[in-house]
Amino acid sequence: MNIWGLLQLGLATIIFLLAATAAKQWAVAPHLGKVVLALALYSAGNLIMLRLVRDFGMASAFSLSAIIQLVAVNLIALIYFGERLGLVQGAGVLLAVVAVAMITLGPAASGR
């Protein structure tokens, strides 16, 4: 993935994080404007992801996006919203990060 792809991925990630935050705000205090904002942000993020899939392939685009969002969304949930993960949940997040990293980096490690 080149620098332009990484910038697009970063932008999509920021948009998805804003969408997730808007969705959580809606869950805490439901309001039509919050759900419309969340849906608009998710739509914008997915439009960027479509471009990334076309340019870099589905496996690369979605794997990188998934791991970045997994970590970032959990940080927002834990730090900003004060949520807590149990031991099993925390282990699951850690294993998910390792799994996606292995999927993403696997072809490079095997010389493909």
Side-chain angles (χ1 to χ4, degrees):
M1 187 171 288
N2 60 27
I3 189 71
W4 176 239
L6 290 174
L7 288 172
Q8 290 178 74
L9 181 62
L11 179 61
T13 300
I14 291 168
I15 291 171
F16 282 132
L17 293 176
L18 291 171
T21 302
K24 175 65 177 185
Q25 291 289 344
W26 172 82
V28 171
H31 185 273
L32 180 62
K34 292 176 185 177
V35 77
V36 168
L37 176 62
L39 290 172
L41 288 167
Y42 278 124
S43 296
N46 280 313
L47 288 172
I48 295 170
M49 287 305 298
L50 288 173
R51 171 79 187 243
L52 289 169
V53 168
R54 186 184 68 205
D55 291 348
F56 302 106
M58 189 167 106
S60 293
F62 283 116
S63 293
L64 289 171
S65 176
I67 195 163
I68 293 168
Q69 287 184 56
L70 175 68
V71 172
V73 164
N74 275 283
L75 288 174
I76 289 172
L78 296 170
I79 295 168
Y80 184 75
F81 290 107
E83 295 183 8
R84 298 286 174 239
L85 293 177
L87 182 61
V88 174
Q89 292 170 312
V93 170
L94 179 63
L95 289 172
V97 169
V98 170
V100 174
M102 289 173 70
I103 292 166
T104 303
L105 302 173
S110 64
R112 289 189 218 169

